[in-house]
């Protein structure tokens, strides 16, 4: 019964995007490329939601600049459990082109637990969808 | 079945409660599927609303520290309860006659406003500025779409009153029996503008796309339901699905309850089909082809086009009845 429930629940992932100082490249890939008819993620039950309190999977892009760091943490803490974190692009992993900048001193995984990394600058839409699929597997173990 | 047990059955099983929920979820699923197909996408399965609901039950429910706890917790329940009473009042032609004391269109109009008011109470008790913006927009929308809705209902009341010899008759039973004798109200050419006005009000009451200004997720982050999570959000979703069934059923009862089948199963089937048709032409097609309006545009739209059409029908009906 519990397994059946898990399988049912993981068919309704609601996605929330946090832009942590990104250059918008990854956001364009997430918002348009992953949602255009060609790569329809709604067939998996996904839905982009506007409120962090409705989210199940969080997509974070950008190098987590000093200015937005506290805000990112605050929004992240407003997401109810169980939640899965997907870091999109190379920036949250190492800083990418913003590495060693005076304004971006933390990687994302030094602040919060990251479940899936999707590297790329920007990553291809297929890679983002693959990252969401991997996040679903992890989400299933959390239920 | 009669008395308290009968009312309880009507509230929980048919036509309220389980039946209305199942049909409402089915409509929501079909709506999302056809919306996706119109954009040449595959779209979610039709049973997606049920999955969403089960998912929301498994989520943590957060209550903001700045909120008024009692109002925040009770608002979704109040909205859901109001909607449950509303779907119980609506008759299914040929199967269910409606409950005697609740058999009144004006009463239904009042109860229809309860979910919107519950949403306002919940949002304003959450202490979120986005919620406050959403509340003000929701209020404007409610005021805007209630005007044509009231005029349409008045028109139908005068039409039914003419048949039973009073000034205006708002009983759903007599409206259905009138249409049983003289054919559907929609077949009368003077009532077509009123029907279009009613269709224009449906997306407003449901918060569907051209009029989803209170819940605009890209501008004000879902507005009134921003702070809700878990099962309280699920209750708001349930209320929305019940509302979807309720307004489409109201359109069916008011404008084309006939023909209905001789067997109760056929009647229910035809009823659901008519409701689905209403939802498809008034919500899905509009939602897939239009973008969101601004609040001032929506307000002006409601006070110009649907109100004008409804007034046209009202004047024609009064002229037809009394001159």
């Amino acid at each position: 019964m519990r397994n059946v429930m898990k399988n049912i629940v993981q068919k309704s992932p609601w996605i929330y995007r946090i832009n942590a100082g990104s250059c918008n490249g990854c956001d364009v890939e997430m918002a348009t490329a992953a949602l255009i008819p060609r790569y329809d993620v709604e067939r998996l039950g996904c839905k982009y939601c506007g409120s962090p309190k409705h989210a199940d999977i969080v997509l974070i892009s950008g190098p987590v600049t000093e200015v937005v760091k506290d805000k990112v943490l605050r929004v992240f803490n407003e997401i109810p459990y169980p939640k899965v974190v997907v870091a999109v692009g190379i920036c949250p992993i190492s800083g990418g082109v913003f590495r060693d900048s005076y304004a971006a001193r933390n990687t994302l995984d030094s602040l919060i637990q990251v479940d899936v990394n999707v590297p790329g600058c920007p990553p291809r839409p297929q890679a983002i969808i693959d990252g969401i699929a991997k996040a679903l597997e992890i989400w299933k173990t959390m239920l | 079945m009669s008395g308290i047990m009968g009312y309880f059955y009507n509230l929980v099983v048919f036509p309220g409660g389980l039946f209305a929920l199942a049909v409402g979820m089915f409509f929501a699923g079909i709506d999302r599927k056809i919306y996706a197909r119109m954009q040449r996408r595959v779209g979610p399965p039709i049973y997606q609303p049920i999955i969403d609901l089960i998912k929301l039950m498994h989520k943590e429910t957060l209550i903001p520290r700045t909120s008024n706890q009692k109002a925040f917790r009770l608002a979704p329940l109040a909205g859901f309860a109001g909607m449950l009473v509303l779907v119980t009042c609506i008759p299914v032609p040929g199967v269910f006659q409606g409950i005697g004391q609740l058999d009144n269109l004006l009463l239904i109009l009042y109860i229809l406003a309860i979910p919107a008011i519950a949403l306002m109470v919940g949002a304003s008790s959450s202490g979120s500025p986005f919620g406050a913006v959403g509340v003000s927009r929701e209020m404007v929308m409610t005021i805007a779409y209630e005007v044509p809705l009231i005029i349409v209902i008045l028109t139908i009341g005068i039409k039914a009153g003419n048949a039973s010899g009073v000034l205006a008759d708002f009983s759903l039973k007599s409206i259905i029996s009138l249409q049983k004798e003289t054919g559907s109200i929609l077949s009368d050419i003077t009532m077509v503008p009123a029907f279009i006005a009613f269709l224009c009000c449906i997306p407003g009451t449901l918060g569907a796309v051209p009029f989803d200004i209170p819940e605009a997720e890209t501008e004000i982050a879902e507005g009134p339901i921003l702070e809700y999570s878990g099962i309280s959000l699920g209750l708001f979703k349930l209320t929305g699905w019940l509302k979807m069934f309720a307004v489409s059923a109201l359109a069916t009862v008011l404008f084309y309850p006939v023909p209905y089948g001789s067997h109760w199963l056929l009647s229910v089937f035809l009823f659901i089909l008519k409701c689905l048709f209403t939802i498809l032409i008034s919500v899905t097609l509009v939602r897939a082809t239009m973008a969101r309006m601004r609040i001032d545009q929506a307000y002006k739209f409601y006070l110009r086009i649907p109100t004008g059409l409804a007034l046209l029908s009202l004047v024609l009906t009064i002229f037809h009845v009394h001159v």
Side-chain angles (χ1 to χ4, degrees):
Chain A
M1 189 63 198
R2 225 184 139 65
N3 270 326
V4 174
M5 270 320 204
K6 275 183 188 176
N7 280 326
I8 290 174
V9 170
Q10 67 143 354
K11 283 188 179 142
S12 163
W14 290 2
I15 302 172
Y16 182 68
R17 287 181 284 134
I18 298 179
N19 179 335
S22 157
C23 69
N24 253 332
C26 297
D27 296 273
V28 170
E29 295 297 316
M30 285 189 285
T32 56
L35 274 183
I36 60 170
R38 190 167 196 149
Y39 315 107
D40 177 29
V41 287
E42 208 189 359
R43 72 197 141 94
L44 306 173
C46 291
K47 198 176 96 173
Y48 273 112
C49 53
S51 160
K53 301 216 169 173
H54 306 175
D56 303 304
I57 293 176
V58 204
L59 303 179
I60 303 183
S61 60
V64 199
T65 58
E66 291 297 299
V67 177
V68 298
K69 191 174 82 182
D70 294 337
K71 285 135 192 154
V72 168
L73 287 177
R74 193 177 150 194
V75 172
F76 181 76
N77 286 332
E78 297 215 351
I79 299 169
Y81 284 98
K83 56 187 169 190
V84 189
V85 182
V86 181
V88 177
I90 195 71
C91 292
I93 302 172
S94 70
V97 290
F98 306 109
R99 183 193 284 208
D100 300 332
S101 161
Y102 66 92
R105 317 189 76 170
N106 298 92
T107 56
L108 185 64
D109 58 355
S110 68
L111 299 172
I112 52 180
Q113 191 200 336
V114 177
D115 296 297
V116 183
N117 276 314
V118 183
C121 187
R124 290 175 66 82
Q126 291 94 327
I128 297 175
I129 295 170
D130 189 43
I132 293 172
K134 288 216 164 58
L136 289 182
E137 295 289 311
I138 294 167
W139 189 33
K140 208 170 153 184
T141 62
M142 288 179 177
L143 292 167
Chain B
M1 240 180 296
S2 62
I4 300 292
M5 279 310 287
Y7 291 150
F8 190 71
Y9 174 78
N10 291 335
L11 186 69
V12 177
V13 185
F14 182 88
L18 294 174
F19 172 75
L21 265 183
V23 176
M25 280 182 174
F26 172 67
F27 285 177
I30 292 256
D31 170 54
R32 274 181 81 175
K33 188 79 182 174
I34 290 180
Y35 179 64
R37 293 305 301 163
M38 283 180 76
Q39 297 177 334
R40 307 190 77 188
R41 291 189 284 121
V42 179
I46 289 173
Y47 51 85
Q48 187 67 38
I50 303 172
I51 301 178
D52 287 350
L53 188 66
I54 295 173
K55 195 273 306 274
L56 287 173
M57 280 188 220
H58 281 77
K59 290 288 277 187
E60 191 186 6
T61 306
L62 299 173
I63 291 168
R65 204 177 295 143
T66 52
S67 68
N68 181 330
Q69 311 259 334
K70 271 184 194 153
F72 189 79
R73 278 167 195 269
L74 287 179
L77 265 179
F80 181 67
M83 217 57 227
L84 210 56
V85 172
L86 176 58
V87 289
T88 312
C89 300
I90 292 176
V92 180
V95 186
F96 175 63
Q97 288 225 312
I99 296 172
Q101 295 90 328
L102 300 176
D103 181 32
N104 194 312
L105 262 178
L106 294 178
L107 182 77
I108 283 180
L109 199 67
Y110 275 112
I111 306 179
L112 195 62
I114 288 183
I117 292 167
L119 194 66
M120 288 178 211
V121 170
S124 43
S125 66
S126 74
S128 153
F130 290 108
V133 176
V135 168
S136 77
R137 292 181 176 192
E138 178 83 35
M139 260 186 236
V140 173
M141 280 301 290
T142 315
I143 292 165
Y145 70 68
E146 296 254 297
V147 174
L149 213 56
I150 290 169
I151 300 173
V152 169
I153 282 174
L154 184 64
T155 314
I156 291 174
I158 289 174
K159 231 175 153 46
N162 180 43
S164 51
V166 286
L167 195 58
D169 189 354
F170 292 108
S171 156
L172 283 166
K173 203 187 276 177
S174 51
I175 288 169
I176 290 180
S177 63
L178 165 76
Q179 299 186 62
K180 218 188 294 181
E181 288 160 19
T182 60
S184 287
I185 281 184
L186 190 58
S187 62
D188 185 352
I189 194 86
T190 58
M191 289 305 285
V192 173
F195 178 62
I196 297 171
F198 195 92
L199 284 189
C200 290
C201 293
I202 291 179
T205 52
L206 294 177
V209 150
F211 307 115
D212 68 334
I213 312 148
E215 283 165 30
E217 73 272 9
T218 41
E219 295 168 44
I220 52 168
E222 318 252 356
I225 54 169
L226 168 72
E227 296 288 344
Y228 281 96
S229 59
I231 192 66
S232 353
L233 180 64
L235 272 175
F236 273 125
K237 297 270 170 204
L238 276 178
T239 313
W241 296 325
L242 277 182
K243 210 173 185 177
M244 209 168 194
F245 170 69
V247 287
S248 61
L250 205 57
T252 308
V253 167
L254 291 184
F255 290 101
Y256 35 80
V258 280
Y260 51 82
S262 47
H263 191 254
W264 67 270
L265 210 60
L266 186 64
S267 293
V268 169
F269 178 71
L270 277 175
F271 181 70
I272 292 175
L273 217 59
K274 286 173 190 165
C275 292
L276 185 61
F277 168 75
T278 318
I279 285 290
L280 286 186
I281 58 168
S282 66
V283 177
T284 313
L285 291 184
V286 178
R287 186 162 93 95
T289 47
M290 287 182 81
R292 185 184 304 129
M293 287 183 178
R294 283 199 318 268
I295 187 71
D296 58 318
Q297 289 171 330
Y299 191 70
K300 278 178 196 154
F301 169 79
Y302 271 119
L303 292 189
R304 279 179 191 159
I305 296 163
T307 309
L309 288 171
L311 276 175
L312 179 68
S313 269
L314 180 67
V315 169
L316 285 174
T317 306
I318 291 176
F319 205 68
H320 180 73
V321 168
H322 292 291
V323 180

